[in-house]
Structure formats: C-alpha cells, structure tokens
Amino acid sequence: MTKCIVHFQTEEISPTVTIADNSRIVRLYGTCHHIDKAGFIGKTLSDRVERLGAPTSTAAFDFLTISMAVTAADTFFRREDVSDNGWARDFELHVPVVQPAKWTAAKPLLQRLLNFLTGDHWQFTFLQNGPSKPNAIGGRLRKKSNLLGVDSVCLYSGGLDSWLGAKHLIAKGNNPILVSHSYPQDAQRQNYLYDRLGQALQRFAFNASPRQSGSSNDTTMRGRSFNFLAMAAVCADAVAELNGLSHVPLYIPENGFIALNAPLTPRRIGSHSTRTAHPNYLSQMQELFSRVGIKAIIENPFWTMTKGEMMIDAALNASDQRYASQTVSCGKWKRKSEQCGRCLPCLIRRASFHKAGISDNTAYTYSIPQNFAELDGTKKDDLMAVVRAVQPKTRKQRLINALKSGPLPIDVVEREKWLSVYDRGLKELRDFLKSQGI
C-alpha cells in the first residue's frame, strides 16, 4: 500500500518546490500557485470564523485545522490510485497546531475514530506554530452573527432529517445556530428551506474548498462529517464563551436506521457503508471533545426513530408536507442537481413518505417499477440489495447484520433500541416496495 504523506503549512508554498508522487504540500487557510502536487484548503474559513462575532476556543480552532488537514488528504489521494484493495489508504499527516502536546496525547483516539469513519489508516504528527484562532470582532461594517441567546448548534444540510431536526428544535423552544456545508447547489436548497422554517435563526455556512494541481480528486467523501463536526465545535465553543455556558448541545438530526447504516448485503461494507452518525463514531468523537476541552455535547434526538417515524412525529401541516418534498436525500444529487429515486438514500426517503401517509412530490429521475425493469443490473443495484435485505431473517441474522457496520453500545437496553429501529427501518422499506408491486 502506498504511504500518502501530506505536509501542511500556513505560509506561501515555494513555486520551485519538488514534491514526490506519494506526497502533497497543502497551505491552510490561504491559496497557492499552480504547483504540481501542491494545494490549499479553507481560504475563507478564518474570515467566516471571525464573523461569528464571539471568540471560539483554541482547542476548537485546532480541531478545525486538523479537520482541514483530514479533508485535504481525503480529497487529494484517489482510493483507486493508492490503495492495494481499491479502498483503504495509508495516511501520514504533519499538521501545525497551537497546542501540539494536547493533540499528541489525544492522537490514538483521533486516529482510531478516523480509521473507523473513512476505512483508512491515519497517522498524525502535530507540529508547533499552528494557525491561531481569528479575533472575534472584525470591522463595524462587516456582517456578523449574533450568538447572544443562542443555546445550541444544529447540523443543517438541506436534507429531510436536518430540516425536520431544525423544526423540532424550534417547536421545543430552542434557539440553535444552524451549521451547513455551503456547496453551491446545496446552499440554494438550504436557503429555500430555511426561509420556510417559520423562525429566524443564526446560521453558519462554510465551504472548505480543497484545491490541488496536477492530480484528480477522490469523490467518496467519507471524511466529510469530520469536517462538519469540527465546524460545529467551533460554533459551540463560541456560543459557550459568549453566553457563559459550561456545555452546548450539538444536535445531529439523523434517523436511527441511516445512523446505524448496516450493510444490506455482505459485499456492501466498504464504499456503501457510511458511518457519519454511527453510535460508535459519535461516542468516540464525544470522548475526544471531552479530552481536549471542547464544550459541545453531541446529541441525536432521532436515533430511536426511522425516517418515516420522524415525519409522523413532526405532524407536518399541508404547507410543510409540500416543503418536505423540496428537501434533498439523494446520494447522487451533486452530479445532476436531481434526485435519482433509485439509490439507497432515495429509497429510504420514498419509504418514509409512504410510512407517514404523505404525498411524495419529489421530482425523481426514475420510478420504482422503471428501475426494477432495468436490464442492466448495475442500474438497479441498490434496489435489488434492498429487496434481498427486507426478506425475513432470524434475530441472530439481524444482529449479525447490524454489527457489521460497527460496534453497538454495551448497554443492553440501548442496544435493543438500535436493533429495534433497524428492524422497523427494514419493515418500512418492505412495506413501500410492496406498495410498488415488488
């Protein structure tokens, strides 16, 4: 396996530098010349953090720097180019931070949780003289957030779960700041749905914008949620500092079936098994936060619910039911700005509307009968995986399948709740497929 070595710096990269094929040099929070195998990331993020209008912690900003390093490495080395098995990569990252001793002590946990999240092997060396957190004031004429009275942070992607999550928090009387990846296509949909939440909330939208010269990017994006949580941690510590809070809830609205994301068939464990809200990953992330002093407390309010149960629980009025169809769930959305209707996230989405008895007016590319009739098996791979997965199984078989995506909590009651939501999620899919004549 090729060792992928990445050196990070904040100063300008010399245009005369020579970089080995298995290496990259990446500038943090800046730009660089078009230099072969060099790149940059987060060029506007310092400004965005400054515009929070409240000071975040050094630990949270160091974590953001580490997340930028992870995102750059995850993006700049294609799995098919450097992996012996077509998936796992071997990373060695040299990252400057403000508190290297703190992060060196937490390194085994950090590496372990990233290995679990992305399916790669991660090694870090933390260096001195890392980028300091931006000041929290900025000029008077610059638009800034108002975090006074904000009590929590909520991830907000423009997906159905995140939109329902924001509405759930508003209904409970919470005042969260919404944190979003602001990719151009996503941002437009996020803004449309935000305007229909019924209450003005503070927002923090960002784009890491990794760029490199001379090489193609990897597109699997398995480290994306690490970046997302780092930005949320920055916001959480800013909220805590301004409002005098000892801790700040960080909400990750994700239905339990997708959070567990057990592989539907034995071969769908690598590229088809994301772990962005898996309980094992989030418990390790919470441990990391506690060790380094980040004040965010991770909560998923919907881990015991299927997607359809989330929709029922939301008791959406007629207008909100229409808006629900404007949310995005599709795993292939960014390719054509269109929801395919046949990938696993789309199938789970369609099943949730069916479960809730709500008309699904989403403009899908493919209908279920149309996809089922495809002669090319690769075009109905997800659908057939679901068909096989929903077949009756023994409790032992279901437990084995659920554990394939990662360890479940040791607590018997909590583990049973995870297995229950997994069973109900499969039933939701099975009932939907029957309604489609499959």
Side-chain angles (χ1 to χ4, degrees), residues 2-13:
T2 301
K3 174 78 75 172
C4 305
I5 303 172
V6 194
H7 295 269
F8 295 88
Q9 59 189 61
T10 54
E11 62 270 18
E12 183 71 49
I13 299 172

Side-chain angles (χ1 to χ4, degrees), residues 257 355 390 422-432:
F257 185 70
K355 169 72 175 179
V390 300
Y422 173 60
D423 287 344
R424 300 196 314 277
L426 289 175
K427 183 178 186 304
E428 214 165 272
L429 284 165
R430 181 166 56 250
D431 291 345
F432 170 66

Side-chain angles (χ1 to χ4, degrees), residues 31-53:
T31 60
C32 72
H33 302 289
H34 294 287
I35 303 165
D36 191 36
K37 302 181 190 66
F40 62 90
I41 189 168
K43 66 176 182 178
T44 65
L45 269 185
S46 289
D47 177 73
R48 295 293 301 122
V49 173
E50 186 175 289
R51 291 183 187 222
L52 278 173

Side-chain angles (χ1 to χ4, degrees), residues 121-132:
H121 181 254
W122 295 86
Q123 289 181 297
F124 290 87
T125 298
F126 293 112
L127 310 172
Q128 295 181 341
N129 302 317
S132 299

Side-chain angles (χ1 to χ4, degrees), residues 66-357:
I66 294 166
S67 82
M68 291 297 103
V70 168
T71 300
D74 188 35
T75 304
F76 293 164
F77 288 94
R78 296 198 310 170
R79 294 182 185 273
E80 58 264 42
D81 294 338
V82 298
S83 172
D84 290 342
N85 64 5
W87 184 256
R89 298 162 295 183
D90 188 8
F91 288 117
E92 179 184 307
L93 274 55
H94 300 259
V95 187
V97 291
V98 177
Q99 299 175 318
K102 175 181 287 188
W103 288 101
T104 298
K107 184 166 62 173
L109 174 59
L110 174 66
Q111 293 173 166
R112 187 165 64 249
L113 72 86
L114 278 170
N115 294 347
F116 178 79
L117 176 66
T118 71
D120 302 300
H121 181 254
W122 295 86
Q123 289 181 297
F124 290 87
T125 298
F126 293 112
L127 310 172
Q128 295 181 341
N129 302 317
S132 299
K133 63 180 182 180
N135 72 66
I137 306 301
R140 289 183 300 168
L141 300 180
R142 303 174 72 196
K143 185 177 180 180
K144 292 176 287 188
S145 301
N146 179 10
L147 300 185
L148 193 64
V150 171
D151 59 15
S152 54
V153 178
C154 181
L155 302 189
Y156 178 71
S157 65
L160 180 56
D161 287 18
S162 76
W163 184 67
L164 291 174
K167 291 185 67 63
H168 172 79
L169 292 176
I170 289 171
K172 285 179 56 184
N174 289 101
N175 182 24
I177 179 172
L178 305 181
V179 177
S180 307
H181 279 119
S182 58
Y183 304 120
Q185 293 161 303
D186 291 348
Q188 183 178 8
R189 192 59 58 101
Q190 290 162 2
N191 293 339
Y192 173 85
L193 293 165
Y194 169 80
D195 290 339
R196 287 150 181 82
L197 283 174
Q199 180 174 318
L201 300 173
Q202 294 299 304
R203 299 185 62 190
F204 188 95
F206 73 100
N207 190 343
S209 299
R211 299 286 186 272
Q212 68 170 331
S213 298
S215 300
S216 299
N217 289 342
D218 189 80
T219 59
T220 55
M221 300 178 70
R222 283 299 179 262
R224 183 174 183 261
S225 70
F226 187 78
N227 177 295
F228 213 171
L229 285 173
M231 211 60 256
V234 166
C235 292
D237 275 18
V239 167
E241 176 66 25
L242 184 65
N243 294 284
L245 303 175
S246 60
H247 66 272
V248 174
L250 194 175
Y251 294 109
I252 302 176
E254 188 79 88
N255 72 83
F257 185 70
I258 279 286
L260 187 60
N261 204 19
L264 297 181
T265 63
R267 69 181 186 82
R268 299 173 69 86
I269 295 177
S271 61
H272 294 281
S273 185
T274 59
R275 294 162 169 171
T276 58
H278 193 278
N280 183 54
Y281 171 61
L282 293 184
S283 66
Q284 290 184 81
M285 183 63 74
Q286 187 62 68
E287 184 181 350
L288 181 68
F289 284 176
S290 298
R291 285 196 190 183
V292 300
I294 291 171
K295 296 180 178 179
I297 303 297
I298 298 171
E299 298 184 32
N300 179 0
F302 304 113
W303 71 272
T304 61
M305 296 184 188
T306 66
K307 203 179 197 79
E309 290 165 354
M310 282 182 65
M311 294 188 71
I312 293 170
D313 183 71
L316 300 175
N317 60 35
S319 294
D320 284 342
Q321 289 182 22
R322 292 194 299 272
Y323 301 148
S325 293
Q326 299 300 313
T327 62
V328 175
S329 302
C330 184
K332 301 173 183 177
W333 158 258
K334 291 181 177 62
R335 299 180 189 178
K336 296 182 179 180
S337 297
E338 192 174 81
Q339 304 200 66
C340 70
R342 66 184 186 185
C343 67
L344 179 58
C346 277
L347 294 172
I348 294 172
R349 171 193 177 91
R350 298 178 88 151
S352 72
F353 276 89
H354 179 261
K355 169 72 175 179

